[in-house]
Amino acid sequence: MIIVMNKTATEQQIDSVVEKIKHLGHGVNISRGTNRIVIGAIGDESKLTPEMFDPMPGVEYSMHIVKQYKIVSRESHAENSIVHVRNIPIGGEKIQIIAGPCSVETQEQMDLAAQQVAAAGCRLMRGGAFKPRTNPYTFQGKGVDGLTIFRTAADKYDLPIVTELMDIRMLDTFLEQDVDLIQIGTRNMQNFDLLKEVGRINKPVILKRGLSATINEWLMAAEYIAAGGNHQIIFCERGIRTFETAYRNVLDVTCIPVLKRETHLPVIIDPSHAGGKAWMVPALSRAAIAAGADGLLVEMHPNPCDAWCDADQALNPQELTELMQSLKGIANAIGRSL
Ligand code: PEP
Ligand code: MN
């Protein structure tokens, strides 16, 4: 940690900072420049926080030098990590497209969707049984019945399932239903108790980016999961909130190379919740794959007009098939495959 003193800091104020650092069991290095004095605290940084120094008289600011996320950082693991969902690798040479409806509705709808997802060439299926809706009076998801419906439909086509966990109390049910990949949604990215719980289990987790989360906050949220022992984490960018109203959210494509630099874990993109319109999904998907995403989480409904949730952004089965075709060329161009 370094503590930068302000221009007018007195020797007595500098001494106080030095004493505090020593008292906390750290070594001290004082660097006297022409304008500023910078005090370095030498030792285990994790024991120090800026709040310990920032309020002290004469201190301009203090900051950590080493990144606060450790397990998820590329500093700790140089190679790309591959997260396996059953036998399907996410984060390797192969790009994985996870498709399916926003919500589980009926057995017929899910059976048809599973058949269409498999026919399009996707190896994993998505579908929400517990839905985080803005309006409490709208459809909230089929709940536990939805999980059973989903499992039944996906098993017919041997598709691993991806579904959102909103409440810790449902974790045992998710494990009983053998949910293959647990999604932590945008609204729960910083639900730290939920993150700690999924950190204790042996199941892959998709961690969606919070609506207005910085990349650092997102990485720290992933570190919560990793710190519990579960390192099977996949980041999912799904668009962030900005001043723009022409689309639902802004897909932050820039986060792909940044995350790839900062973490060894896989990164996927949800173009559906980013654009919020089905017609935007192909363009956003292609941009994401070209920028280095390891996969996509895409909404597809057998009949989008009848979807109970997010009807406007769901691809139809034909559009999903066409998207898969167009992504093949992009994947090949960057030395990957679908
Ligand atoms: C979803 O994937 O169904 C969903 C609700 O996404 P988000 O958490 O990104 O809004
Ligand atoms: Mn949705």
Side-chain angles (χ1 to χ4, degrees):
M1 157 140 322
I2 56 168
I3 297 106
V4 180
M5 304 303 291
N6 63 37
K7 247 181 171 165
T8 55
T10 63
E11 283 304 316
Q12 203 186 359
Q13 289 169 341
I14 293 166
D15 286 348
S16 299
V17 172
V18 168
E19 277 314 305
K20 184 157 188 177
I21 295 171
K22 286 185 181 163
H23 182 71
L24 290 163
H26 285 64
V28 176
N29 177 284
I30 304 180
S31 164
R32 290 178 187 267
T34 40
N35 281 313
R36 285 282 190 284
I37 290 178
V38 176
I39 305 173
I42 302 157
D44 180 3
E45 266 207 333
S46 65
K47 304 270 183 297
L48 306 179
T49 64
E51 292 90 69
M52 292 172 172
F53 301 100
D54 286 350
M56 294 181 76
V59 172
E60 187 142 316
Y61 64 89
S62 58
M63 58 187 261
H64 285 120
I65 304 176
V66 177
K67 288 177 178 135
Q68 295 302 286
Y69 41 92
K70 302 199 182 307
I71 303 166
V72 306
S73 79
R74 207 176 265 287
E75 269 178 9
S76 76
H77 190 278
E79 300 297 314
N80 285 337
S81 286
I82 297 180
V83 172
H84 284 92
V85 184
R86 287 204 226 153
N87 59 346
I88 297 163
I90 303 185
E93 177 268 333
K94 269 214 173 330
I95 287 164
Q96 303 295 352
I97 311 300
I98 307 167
C102 179
S103 308
V104 176
E105 298 166 6
T106 64
Q107 191 67 61
E108 297 68 40
Q109 169 243 13
M110 288 306 277
D111 286 350
L112 196 52
Q115 184 231 311
Q116 291 160 341
V117 165
C122 304
R123 296 181 204 89
L124 301 107
M125 184 171 178
R126 65 148 287 148
F130 298 88
K131 297 304 303 176
R133 304 302 300 280
T134 303
N135 181 342
Y137 304 115
T138 53
F139 173 59
Q140 301 288 302
K142 293 282 265 196
V144 180
D145 288 349
L147 290 182
T148 316
I149 291 173
F150 192 3
R151 187 80 269 171
T152 306
D155 282 353
K156 290 181 191 154
Y157 299 90
D158 205 21
L159 292 163
I161 64 172
V162 179
T163 197
E164 177 166 352
L165 175 71
M166 294 208 297
D167 188 329
I168 299 172
R169 291 169 294 184
M170 275 296 140
L171 185 54
D172 286 343
T173 310
F174 270 53
L175 297 176
E176 277 158 29
Q177 290 287 340
D178 203 20
V179 170
D180 301 283
L181 178 48
I182 296 178
Q183 175 173 322
I184 301 295
T186 292
R187 291 149 194 87
N188 277 313
M189 189 204 84
Q190 284 187 316
N191 182 337
F192 299 118
D193 286 340
L194 188 58
L195 300 179
K196 283 180 191 165
E197 286 300 317
V198 296
R200 287 160 17 135
I201 59 171
N202 182 22
K203 280 276 175 195
V205 176
I206 288 181
L207 180 63
K208 286 192 141 192
R209 184 180 187 174
L211 267 182
S212 57
T214 64
I215 288 178
N216 190 64
E217 287 165 341
W218 194 9
L219 287 158
M220 291 307 291
E223 189 75 16
Y224 262 92
I225 302 173
N230 186 359
H231 299 181
Q232 305 165 79
I233 306 162
I234 299 163
F235 289 87
C236 179
E237 156 68 25
R238 46 77 75 203
I240 47 174
R241 186 63 69 78
T242 74
F243 53 82
E244 185 53 71
T245 55
Y247 22 85
R248 192 170 178 182
N249 293 291
V250 174
L251 179 67
D252 180 14
V253 178
T254 320
C255 83
I256 303 168
V258 172
L259 279 179
K260 285 282 165 195
R261 198 181 161 95
E262 292 299 317
T263 176
H264 51 93
L265 294 165
V267 180
I268 65 170
I269 295 291
D270 172 349
S272 310
H273 290 89
K277 299 280 176 201
W279 63 265
M280 294 180 192
V281 168
L284 299 181
S285 301
R286 289 192 286 264
I289 300 305
D294 297 302
L296 301 176
L297 184 68
V298 189
E299 291 191 344
M300 188 284 311
H301 193 280
N303 188 1
C305 293
D306 292 340
W308 296 4
C309 183
D310 284 350
D312 229 16
Q313 67 193 34
L315 298 181
N316 65 35
Q318 178 63 27
E319 288 166 336
L320 178 65
T321 304
E322 284 165 13
L323 176 63
M324 291 294 280
Q325 287 308 321
S326 84
L327 293 178
K328 278 186 185 149
I330 295 178
N332 291 341
I334 56 167
R336 302 181 81 171
S337 66
L338 227 58

